[in-house]
């Protein structure tokens, strides 16, 4: 039987039991990404317990609850925030709702892991950071590539000086599927730069340990004819040149609806060498036949490519709460990625290079571990 802090009547018992108690987690938004976290917290994260799920869509909620065997399901996130068993929430609603949900969670004293993109613009991000600081709750952002074994190894080897000083970071993400319809409206979704390439933006900042100061982006729609008429400014392909604050260089290549698989790779060029991160193969099987030649399956989905990174991310969130330390990926990281997304979309629209406003508090969190 699970024991929760509030089940104990004596304060001394509560304190001495604190270390043994599990962090009660609620996932808000039980869709594609939400269920990755829900599955992790239901059986793969140590010292945590999935205590509730939220989804505004009744059938989605019921199916999700059944799958992860969680009794408590709420259609209104505010009811979940009033639940004393909930110590922490994972915010996995559509991005437009992140600010609203995070502000309410902070007010209710719940720790927050917020999926990327953090929000729609930097003002929203600032509100979220301030609210979490004011309530002294953790705010972690869902850039799970920072927990991927290969990305972490690359970062460590760069830091150790293996390729000298980093000069150029190139990062690409191509998604296989036709976008969900809401992504076509750039004004309300911030488009593929936000939904797909936020991860690349964070990777650039992380590997260069520097902020992106200026971008020049071009976009076009080459594979989604269904969006052309109603959303003429929707792009399914984007190329973005980046200049870091100290003059070094970055490049981001983004695409959706590519069909061939989920492609996430990074190349780092230094003064003494180069480093490549990311795999293309779904598994180690290589076929060879008269008709097809040599064949191998491409990685199918972000869900499979980053399975272990999501677990490590969720575990670190819980550990941060228990150990009362700062998350590895903080609000400022989410904020700076959003600033670059907004600058990139403006650059596409206005066909000019656009400067990225610097962080007001001067924190350069590309420097984090
Ligand atoms: N880290 C990653 O790799 C990654 C991958 C995919 C998505 N995401 C992010 O996660 C978020 C969700 O994306 P998704 O692909 O899972 O979307 P989704 O549409 O599959 O899921 C979103 C869910 O939120 C629910 N919802 C909508 N309004 C709600 C409300 N007011 N209260 C509660 N639930 C509500 C919807 O019914 C839906 O089930 C987005 O911000 C997205 O960018 C991150």
């Amino acid at each position: 039987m699970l024991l929760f802090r509030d089940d104990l009547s004596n304060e001394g018992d509560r304190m001495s039991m604190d270390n043994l108690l599990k962090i009660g987690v609620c996932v808000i938004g039980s869709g594609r990404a939400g269920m990755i976290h829900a599955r992790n917290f239901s059986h793969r994260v140590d010292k945590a317990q999935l205590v509730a799920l939220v989804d505004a869509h009744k059938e989605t909620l019921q199916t999700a609850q059944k799958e992860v065997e969680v009794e408590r399901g709420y259609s209104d996130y505010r009811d979940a925030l009033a639940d004393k068993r909930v110590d922490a929430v994972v915010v996995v609603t559509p991005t437009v709702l992140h600010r609203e949900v995070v502000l309410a969670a902070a007010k209710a004293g719940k720790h927050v892991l917020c999926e990327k993109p953090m929000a729609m613009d930097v003002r929203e991000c600032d509100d979220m950071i301030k609210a979490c600081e004011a309530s002294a709750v953790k705010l972690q952002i869902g850039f799970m590539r920072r927990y991927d074994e290969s990305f972490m190894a690359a970062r460590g080897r760069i830091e150790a000086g293996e390729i000298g000083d980093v000069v150029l970071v190139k990062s690409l993400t191509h998604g296989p599927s036709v976008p969900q319809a809401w992504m076509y409206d750039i004004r309300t979704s911030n488009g593929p730069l936000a939904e797909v390439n936020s991860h690349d933006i964070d990777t650039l900042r992380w590997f260069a340990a520097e902020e992106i100061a200026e971008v020049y982006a071009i976009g076009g729609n080459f594979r989604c004819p269904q969006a052309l008429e109603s959303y003429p400014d929707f792009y399914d392909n984007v190329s973005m040149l980046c200049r870091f604050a100290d003059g070094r260089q970055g490049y981001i290549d983004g695409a959706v609806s590519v069909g061939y698989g989920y492609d996430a790779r990074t190349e780092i060029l230094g003064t003494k060498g180069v480093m490549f991160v990311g795999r293309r193969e779904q598994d180690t099987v290589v076929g060879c036949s008269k008709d097809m030649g040599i064949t191998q399956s491409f990685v199918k989905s972000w869900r499979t490519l980053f399975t272990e990174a999501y677990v490590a991310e969720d575990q670190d969130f819980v550990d941060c709460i228990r150990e009362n330390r700062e998350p590895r990926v903080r609000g400022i990281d989410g904020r700076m990625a959003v600033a670059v997304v907004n600058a990139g979309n403006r650059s596409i629209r206005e066909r000019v290079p656009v400067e990225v406003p610097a962080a007001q508090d001067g924190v350069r969190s590309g420097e984090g571990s």
Side-chain angles (χ1 to χ4, degrees):
M1 192 187 106
L2 270 177
L3 190 58
F4 290 90
R5 197 176 191 279
D6 284 331
D7 295 331
L8 300 167
S9 52
N10 178 293
E11 185 57 25
D13 287 345
R14 285 183 183 186
M15 284 171 68
S16 59
M17 290 295 284
D18 259 351
N19 282 339
L20 300 172
L21 292 176
K22 293 186 173 190
I23 302 292
V25 177
C26 170
V27 172
I28 302 179
S30 310
R32 299 179 319 154
M35 285 310 287
I36 289 180
H37 294 289
R39 288 178 201 117
N40 288 346
F41 285 112
S42 75
H43 66 283
R44 291 205 64 190
V45 179
D46 198 25
K47 298 278 196 308
Q49 177 70 32
L50 182 70
V51 291
L53 286 179
V54 177
D55 203 283
H57 189 258
K58 203 174 164 188
E59 271 174 39
T60 304
L61 179 62
Q62 281 171 353
T63 309
Q65 279 180 264
K66 203 169 163 195
E67 187 199 318
V68 291
E69 295 174 354
V70 162
E71 222 170 85
R72 287 165 189 238
Y74 299 101
S75 55
D76 188 327
Y77 70 83
R78 287 165 293 198
D79 294 332
L81 296 177
D83 185 334
K84 285 191 173 159
R85 295 195 172 212
V86 175
D87 301 307
V89 295
V90 190
V91 179
V92 209
T93 58
T95 310
V96 280
L97 296 169
H98 286 185
R99 174 190 178 273
E100 171 190 321
V101 178
V102 170
L103 258 56
K107 200 171 172 197
K110 315 292 183 188
H111 300 285
V112 177
L113 167 54
C114 178
E115 261 303 346
K116 57 46 65 180
M118 181 172 173
M120 297 302 293
D121 57 44
V122 290
R123 243 184 304 177
E124 288 193 350
C125 297
D126 287 338
D127 290 347
M128 293 155 79
I129 293 169
K130 274 187 208 144
C132 291
E133 277 173 2
S135 297
V137 294
K138 308 292 174 202
L139 172 60
Q140 180 172 324
I141 307 300
F143 287 129
M144 78 295 174
R145 287 185 197 180
R146 293 207 195 197
Y147 292 93
D148 177 81
E149 237 176 64
S150 299
F151 278 79
M152 286 192 296
R155 177 63 152 75
R157 286 165 64 169
I158 290 167
E159 258 187 330
E162 190 174 316
I163 59 166
D165 297 328
V166 172
V167 174
L168 166 70
V169 188
K170 295 196 281 185
S171 189
L172 73 79
T173 304
H174 297 170
S177 346
V178 174
Q180 288 166 291
W182 56 264
M183 210 207 281
Y184 292 142
D185 188 347
I186 303 294
R187 284 162 307 166
T188 51
S189 73
N190 274 340
L193 263 184
E195 287 300 318
V196 177
N197 298 115
S198 285
H199 291 296
D200 302 285
I201 295 168
D202 186 62
T203 298
L204 257 65
R205 296 179 60 248
W206 188 41
F207 283 153
E210 182 55 280
E211 295 300 354
I212 296 168
E214 187 178 18
V215 298
Y216 177 64
I218 56 172
N221 182 351
F222 304 93
R223 287 173 298 266
C224 297
Q226 68 280 8
L228 276 173
E229 198 181 327
S230 305
Y231 302 101
D233 58 352
F234 173 74
Y235 55 91
D236 63 9
N237 223 86
V238 56
S239 291
M240 185 159 80
L241 271 180
C242 305
R243 185 174 58 75
F244 288 104
D246 58 7
R248 289 178 295 148
Q249 302 170 4
Y251 173 71
I252 287 172
D253 161 355
V256 292
S257 201
V258 296
Y260 67 83
Y262 181 77
D263 201 355
R265 287 174 287 139
T266 300
E267 183 180 317
I268 309 106
L269 180 65
T271 49
K272 292 186 193 161
V274 68
M275 204 171 276
F276 307 96
V277 195
R279 70 174 160 88
R280 281 174 280 213
E281 311 79 30
Q282 172 73 14
D283 49 44
T284 58
V285 181
V286 178
C288 188
S289 67
K290 192 172 139 211
D291 293 338
M292 313 251 312
I294 293 175
T295 55
Q296 193 165 22
S297 299
F298 206 99
V299 171
K300 290 182 175 47
S301 165
W302 44 275
R303 295 174 182 88
T304 44
L305 185 60
F306 291 112
T307 308
E308 295 309 312
Y310 287 112
V311 175
E313 169 184 76
D314 289 336
Q315 184 66 64
D316 199 43
F317 176 53
V318 165
D319 293 346
C320 281
I321 297 168
R322 293 180 59 83
E323 294 159 17
N324 191 24
R325 61 173 164 79
E326 272 298 293
R328 191 186 297 181
V329 192
R330 296 176 295 156
I332 184 72
D333 298 304
R335 181 201 193 272
M336 293 316 292
V338 169
V340 174
V341 165
N342 290 159
N345 278 331
R346 199 179 130 208
S347 177
I348 294 172
R349 225 172 28 242
E350 298 179 8
R351 299 182 172 212
V352 291
V354 173
E355 282 190 22
V356 181
Q360 276 156 1
D361 61 3
V363 176
R364 296 215 321 242
S365 64
E367 289 170 351
S369 59

